[in-house]
Amino acid sequence: MIPYEEIEVPVSGGALAALRWPAADPQAPVVVALHGITANALSWGPVARQLAGRVTLIAPDLRGRAGSSGLPGPYGIAGHTDDIAALTAFLGLDRVVLAGHSMGAFVAALAAVRHPDRFGPLLLVDGGIGFPAPTHLTPDELLTAVIGPAMDRLSMTFTDRAAYRAFWQAHPAFADAWSDEVDAYIQRDLTGQEPVLRSSCRIEAIRTDGVGLFDEEVLTAVRKLPAEATLLWAARGLMDEEQGLYDEARLAAADLGGTRVEPVAVKDVNHYTVLTGERGAREVADRLVAYARA
């Protein structure tokens, strides 16, 4: 795992934690990258390595997670866009390339629409294209449908870090794709003291954000983007099942023809390894460099 710097950015209610992987050239472009709903900034560690110093990568812990878990509400997708706009303003960044994985892709799309002067091209990684919520589900049922077993993890406790590692190593998505970088990423999530360790994710934040993915403003953001975007979609799903979040039929139903989004399939990866696996991280990194240098 390559070295990174920890930084803090003033936002409403306190300080947003972020990680910064500097480029070899101080004048190199900067990319801002947003993680998924129960993830943290270190999920971008494999991408940072694949970038190999070609650009500077900045990844925040979103409000209510990891180093930013102490930030108060209100939570929600729109709140994250305000935090990311504040981050870029604080760092003096304009027209920066913005990337997002899973929920982070929805945040990225909405941020680009709400703050078009701050962000340039977008890289949406297995997220950002939504579908209307089933009307027969309650908010909690909807959340379970969105993130499934990840919600259960938030109320669990673990005796030590090895137990948390074993929990994740048993996850089908990581069974054949474990690495020191993935280990560092999942360990960043832990808080507390042994023998009572738990996820740092605040359940209220996760619940609010998950339901907020179906807000009309969030769902329609990709149709209003002020700049071009690429959707890298994983062929396999959250549990490494054959059906991913997207496929050709679902994307056809989404009718992206009138948008600025170009869908690109990434084979042999699932919802997680499109970001944390070798093949997926390399594809993401190369796309980011191409956008940043355009």
Side-chain angles (χ1 to χ4, degrees), residues 38-59:
T38 63
N40 61 70
L42 266 185
S43 63
W44 289 90
V47 172
R49 174 171 52 79
Q50 294 284 356
L51 287 171
R54 291 175 288 174
V55 302
T56 290
L57 178 66
I58 297 173

Side-chain angles (χ1 to χ4, degrees), residues 144-211:
T144 299
V146 172
I147 63 174
M151 193 65 183
D152 296 335
R153 182 183 97 248
L154 306 187
S155 59
M156 297 173 64
T157 60
F158 300 87
T159 55
D160 54 29
R161 291 184 174 274
Y164 197 51
R165 179 180 299 112
F167 171 85
W168 275 106
Q169 286 178 325
H171 193 295
F174 292 105
D176 299 316
W178 195 258
S179 66
D180 289 344
E181 291 166 327
V182 170
D183 189 56
Y185 150 51
I186 64 103
Q187 296 292 345
R188 183 173 177 82
D189 179 48
L190 281 183
T191 188
Q193 299 291 329
E194 296 180 2
V196 183
L197 298 173
R198 57 173 51 87
S199 170
S200 63
C201 295
R202 299 182 68 162
I203 293 180
E204 179 188 354
I206 306 305
R207 180 174 286 114
T208 303
D209 291 348
V211 174

Side-chain angles (χ1 to χ4, degrees), residues 55-131:
V55 302
T56 290
L57 178 66
I58 297 173
D61 289 325
L62 295 178
R63 185 177 293 253
R65 287 89 166 162
S68 302
S69 63
L71 280 172
Y75 304 108
I77 307 302
H80 292 311
T81 70
D82 292 340
D83 287 343
I84 302 311
L87 179 147
T88 56
F90 179 77
L91 297 175
L93 302 174
D94 292 308
R95 302 292 299 163
V96 66
V97 174
L98 186 59
H101 172 242
S102 195
M103 183 198 78
F106 289 89
V107 176
L110 187 59
V113 171
R114 285 191 159 201
H115 306 278
D117 57 324
R118 295 233 155 261
F119 305 111
L122 299 183
L123 185 66
L124 310 175
V125 184
D126 219 35
I129 312 298
F131 302 90

Side-chain angles (χ1 to χ4, degrees), residues 259-273:
T259 72
R260 305 186 74 171
V261 181
E262 178 192 5
V264 176
V266 185
K267 305 297 185 183
D268 301 321
V269 297
N270 60 50
H271 180 69
Y272 292 98
T273 58

Side-chain angles (χ1 to χ4, degrees), residues 212-257:
L213 292 173
F214 297 93
D215 288 348
E216 185 68 14
E217 184 185 19
V218 176
L219 288 175
T220 59
V222 293
R223 305 191 178 280
K224 305 172 184 176
L225 295 178
E228 63 180 308
T230 299
L231 166 68
L232 294 180
W233 58 274
R236 303 180 70 83
L238 279 78
M239 302 297 288
D240 200 43
E241 67 272 35
E242 289 189 12
Q243 177 62 61
L245 293 181
Y246 304 108
D247 58 25
E248 299 288 356
R250 290 180 179 180
L251 290 171
D255 190 19
L256 299 175

